[in-house]
Amino acid sequence: MPQDPMDFEWSYWIEWGRERILWLLAGHLLVSQVSRLLVEKYKPWCLMVYGMAACWLLLGIKGFAVILLHAAVSFAVAQFQLSLLTWLCSLILLSTLHIPTVEETKRKWYDTENEYYLLLFTVSVRCLFCTSFSLEYCWHGPAQKSSHSFPWMLAYVFYYPTFHNGPLMNFDEFSKQMRRQEAFSVKSNLSILIVGIIRIFFWWCLAELMIHLMYIHALYSSALPLESASYWALGGLALAQVLFFYVKYLVLYGVPALLLQMDGLKPPALPCCVSLMHSFTKMWRLVLIAFQTLLICCFIYRYIYVPMGGSQSSLLGMLFSTALTFAFVSYWHGGQSYLWYWGALNWFGVIVENGIKRILSISLIQDLI
C-alpha cells in the first residue's frame, strides 16, 4: 500500500537516513566507543574531528565553511560579553538564511534541492548551538572562561548526533558531561544499544504503519474532505495528526538520544504522550520542553523566557516574556505569516489559561466554588 507522501519532514529525514546519515551515525558510534575505550581524555576532540569530516562529506567544503564561519563570528561577538549584542548577532545570522540572493547562491552549490535543504536545516540548528555557547560565555566569570574556548565551541557545534536536527543540549551541560570520565563497560553499553535499537525500531514501524494506512496529511491538504467532515471527524483528524507528530519525534530524536547515551552523556527527555495532556500551559511546559530539550523550547525557556522574567515577573512582564518566546519560535522556523498566526494563537492560549488560573486562585472565587 503506498504511503501518504504529504508529510515532508518524515519522508525527508527517512530518505537521508537510509542514504547516508545512519551510516555516518554508525561511524560516530564506532569512533566514540573506541575513543572511550582507548583515549577517554581525548574523546571530545576525536568526536569533533569526526563531526567536521562528516559535515564536509555531506555538505561539501562550502557548507562546512558556512557553519565554521557562523561559529567564528559568534565566538568573536561573545568576547564583548554583552548578551544583547550576542542576540543581535544570532538574529542577523539567522536572517541570512532567508535573503533571496544568498539562498540562490547556496542552491547553486548543490545538484538537488534536498542537499540545499539539508544545509538550511543544519545551519538553522547550528545557530541555536552557537547562541547557547555565546550566552553561556557572557554569563560566566573570568575564572570559567578557560572551559569556554573556541576548540570547545567547535566540539559542541560539530557534535554529530545532534548536528542536523537536534535535540539541543546547552553548552554547559554538554561540556560538563563530556569532560566527565567514567568507567567504561562494553557489556553494559551493548545492552543499552540493543534495547534502544529495539525501541526505536518499534516506533519506526508504528510511524510507518500510520503513514501507510491513515493518510492524515493527505486529507489535510485538500479542502473538500475537510468541508464535508463532521466536527467529531475533524477532531479525530487533529488528534491523529498530533499523535503521528509525537511518534515521529520519538524516532527522529530517539536515535540521537541513544547515541548520546552511548557517549556517556545524559540525553534530553523524549516527549510525553500528548494524549495525557489536558492543560495548554502544561503541554508547552512538558511536552514541548521534552520535544526539547527537543529543540527549540528548552532553548527559549533558558535563554529568553527566564532572563526576561517569566512567571516570576509582573503580569505585563509575563505577557511580554511569553510573547517574546513565541515570536522567536516563529522567526526561527522561517517567519512566514502562518507561523506568526500560530505563535499568536499559542500565546493567547497560554495567557487565557494562566489568567483563568489566577482568577480561580482568588479566595472569594474559591469560596463560591
Side-chain angles (χ1 to χ4, degrees):
M1 184 178 292
Q3 74 172 43
D4 181 351
M6 301 306 294
D7 189 278
F8 169 78
E9 188 177 31
W10 177 257
S11 304
Y12 182 85
W13 290 116
I14 291 298
E15 182 182 340
W16 268 108
R18 286 169 177 163
E19 286 184 2
R20 295 187 187 180
I21 291 178
L22 275 180
W23 299 106
L24 289 172
L25 289 173
H28 169 94
L29 179 62
L30 179 62
V31 171
S32 167
Q33 300 311 293
V34 170
S35 61
R36 288 189 74 185
L37 190 62
L38 302 178
V39 285
E40 176 77 18
K41 184 179 178 182
Y42 300 104
K43 180 182 71 173
W45 316 121
C46 295
L47 297 181
M48 178 190 75
V49 170
Y50 180 85
M52 288 180 160
C55 172
W56 194 315
L57 178 66
L58 272 188
L59 301 177
I61 186 171
K62 292 178 180 177
F64 172 79
V66 167
I67 294 171
L68 193 60
L69 179 63
H70 276 233
V73 170
S74 297
F75 184 79
V77 172
Q79 304 309 301
F80 293 97
Q81 299 184 43
L82 296 171
S83 297
L84 187 61
L85 192 60
T86 290
W87 269 115
L88 183 62
C89 171
S90 299
L91 292 173
I92 290 172
L93 289 175
L94 268 176
S95 69
T96 61
L97 301 179
H98 306 290
I99 298 173
T101 52
V102 176
E103 284 183 315
E104 286 306 311
T105 301
K106 290 177 181 176
R107 274 190 167 89
K108 291 175 183 176
W109 297 348
Y110 301 106
D111 297 327
T112 65
E113 280 286 290
N114 273 2
E115 290 175 294
Y116 164 71
Y117 282 130
L118 185 65
L119 174 67
L120 182 66
F121 298 150
T122 303
V123 173
S124 63
V125 174
R126 292 308 93 200
C127 279
L128 297 181
F129 279 69
C130 290
T131 305
S132 174
F133 175 90
S134 300
L135 289 173
E136 299 289 350
Y137 186 94
C138 293
W139 294 348
H140 286 75
Q144 297 166 302
K145 288 292 186 280
S146 59
S147 62
H148 291 68
S149 62
F150 188 60
W152 267 105
M153 184 185 193
L154 294 181
Y156 176 58
V157 169
F158 285 98
Y159 181 67
Y160 194 68
T162 62
F163 189 67
H164 298 293
N165 198 34
L168 177 74
M169 283 182 75
N170 70 65
F171 174 74
D172 275 16
E173 283 298 316
F174 174 84
S175 173
K176 181 174 66 177
Q177 293 180 35
M178 191 63 81
R179 291 170 190 271
R180 185 178 60 214
Q181 296 186 17
E182 297 177 331
F184 177 70
S185 168
V186 175
K187 186 178 179 180
S188 64
N189 257 24
L190 187 60
S191 64
I192 291 170
L193 180 64
I194 292 171
V195 172
I197 289 174
I198 291 171
R199 292 174 69 188
I200 293 166
F201 181 72
F202 170 77
W203 296 330
W204 175 77
C205 288
L206 182 57
E208 284 290 317
L209 193 64
M210 293 173 77
I211 209 165
H212 277 83
L213 297 179
M214 298 177 72
Y215 294 89
I216 313 156
H217 304 88
L219 288 169
Y220 270 113
S221 66
S222 176
L224 188 61
L226 297 180
E227 289 172 354
S228 60
S230 67
Y231 289 127
W232 282 104
L234 290 174
L237 281 171
L239 178 60
Q241 188 178 46
V242 173
L243 288 173
F244 176 76
F245 184 81
Y246 161 68
V247 175
K248 173 171 67 175
Y249 274 92
L250 285 177
V251 177
L252 295 182
Y253 285 141
V255 174
L258 176 60
L259 289 175
L260 262 73
Q261 202 172 358
M262 296 294 293
D263 290 347
L265 308 180
K266 183 181 178 182
L270 290 175
C272 306
C273 181
V274 291
S275 295
L276 301 177
M277 297 294 107
H278 65 275
S279 164
F280 196 75
T281 306
K282 188 178 180 183
M283 184 273 292
W284 266 101
R285 191 174 296 154
L286 293 183
V287 179
L288 291 179
I289 284 177
F291 268 121
Q292 254 35 284
T293 326
L294 283 184
L295 184 62
I296 184 92
C297 291
C298 163
F299 179 90
I300 61 175
Y301 184 79
R302 179 175 176 83
Y303 298 117
I304 301 177
Y305 185 71
V306 172
M308 294 306 297
S311 59
Q312 304 304 313
S313 61
S314 65
L315 178 60
L316 284 177
M318 189 193 72
L319 290 173
F320 178 71
S321 56
T322 308
L324 209 56
T325 58
F326 283 113
F328 180 78
V329 174
S330 302
Y331 182 72
W332 182 79
H333 278 92
Q336 290 88 351
S337 59
Y338 71 88
L339 288 168
W340 293 113
Y341 296 141
W342 171 86
L345 287 170
N346 277 276
W347 173 81
F348 182 72
V350 169
I351 293 306
V352 167
E353 188 172 276
N354 275 287
I356 292 172
K357 281 182 180 178
R358 291 195 179 200
I359 292 170
L360 293 177
S361 66
I362 298 171
S363 57
L364 178 63
I365 301 297
Q366 289 181 342
D367 291 340
L368 288 172
I369 292 173

